[in-house]
Amino acid sequence: MIETYTDGFFYHPDDAVAQRVSDGELNPRLDDLFVTALEETVSAKTAAEKRVARLKNRLSEIEDEIAKADAEVDLINEHHQRQYEAMAKYERGDDLDADEQSLLTPRFSKLVTDQRKADVESQFEEHQGAFEKLEADDWSIEKKRVEDGFLYVTVKRTVEVVAAPETKVAKKVAKAIAKFFSPNFDRAERVHLWDRRASLRPLNPGAG
């Protein structure tokens, strides 16, 4: 004969133990609080393993970026050397071909960058009114940029953070644990997880 343990009409599943602790309805004869502690450990291990995997993936990506940067440095050094060779040829009085002339023609990169910055600032000035409205509503403006014909602006505002009721939860857990470790609690009566899976059955009110 299989003895059926019930709490009310149905046995409560393990994944609801934490909620019953919070509600103060834990039944130490039916609920295995230990399994919750074990599940927390398993979850922490899984999270740590995922973090290790993410870090390893990032490390691989960083190593790829370093390799690309090293290759870029090599190309720049080669370009630099060709510039000096073209300069030496020019100083000897020899004519330079189109590629050599291109090597010694400045690209005015700084001027182009400065102009781009000025254009972006003008875009910000055109929308200054919108920024002022946001700031008046306690939003702070940061990370403004123009890209692909769009103006991107990051805004943020301080919100009131409600502290987690850690003390209240800790007291409930301590109270629940005390039931399990109480000298008056008959450990033999506590149904173990491996036993409950085989012996606990929901009571069928229509049976019999």
Side-chain angles (χ1 to χ4, degrees):
M1 175 180 179
I2 297 178
E3 185 177 1
T4 301
Y5 296 86
T6 63
D7 183 6
F9 284 105
F10 295 97
Y11 167 69
H12 294 178
D14 291 325
D15 57 3
V17 171
Q19 185 61 51
R20 290 197 293 282
V21 170
S22 179
D23 295 339
E25 299 175 354
L26 186 77
N27 187 336
R29 308 296 180 185
L30 299 175
D31 293 319
D32 189 352
L33 189 61
F34 301 155
V35 75
T36 303
L38 294 175
E39 287 173 350
E40 289 177 346
T41 302
V42 172
S43 296
K45 176 185 176 182
T46 301
E49 290 174 341
K50 288 182 178 180
R51 184 168 181 267
V52 169
R54 289 196 302 268
L55 290 172
K56 287 182 177 180
N57 186 57
R58 286 176 54 191
L59 178 60
S60 177
E61 292 175 351
I62 291 173
E63 290 174 343
D64 290 342
E65 290 295 324
I66 292 175
K68 291 178 182 177
D70 285 338
E72 184 179 357
V73 169
D74 291 340
L75 289 175
I76 293 173
N77 286 335
E78 181 182 349
H79 181 81
H80 202 191
Q81 180 61 34
R82 291 175 60 198
Q83 284 180 315
Y84 275 107
E85 292 174 355
M87 289 171 58
K89 182 177 179 180
Y90 177 81
E91 291 173 354
R92 290 195 304 267
D94 297 335
D95 293 333
L96 303 181
D97 60 28
D99 289 339
E100 292 167 333
Q101 292 178 20
S102 177
L103 285 171
L104 298 178
T105 300
R107 298 179 181 177
F108 300 101
S109 300
K110 185 178 184 305
L111 293 178
V112 171
T113 300
D114 291 344
Q115 182 61 51
R116 183 178 294 109
K117 289 181 179 179
D119 293 341
V120 170
E121 288 299 327
S122 68
Q123 292 291 327
F124 295 156
E125 292 175 0
E126 290 180 11
H127 299 84
Q128 188 60 36
F131 299 152
E132 292 175 353
K133 290 180 180 179
L134 287 170
E135 291 172 344
D137 197 24
D138 295 331
W139 291 92
S140 60
I141 309 297
E142 60 180 31
K143 296 183 180 179
K144 296 180 292 186
R145 76 180 192 278
V146 174
E147 184 178 325
D148 299 330
F150 292 92
L151 172 62
Y152 296 91
V153 182
T154 299
V155 296
K156 64 180 182 180
R157 181 169 61 179
T158 303
V159 297
E160 182 180 356
V161 179
V162 179
E166 296 179 0
T167 302
K168 185 176 181 181
V169 172
K171 288 182 178 179
K172 290 182 177 180
V173 173
K175 184 177 180 180
I177 284 288
K179 294 180 181 180
F180 281 81
F181 294 145
S182 172
N184 299 324
F185 180 61
D186 187 352
R187 300 182 185 183
E189 293 185 21
R190 185 173 71 85
V191 183
H192 294 284
L193 175 64
W194 50 87
D195 294 329
R196 282 196 265 109
R197 286 176 176 169
S199 63
L200 296 183
R201 297 290 185 273
L203 179 64
N204 184 353

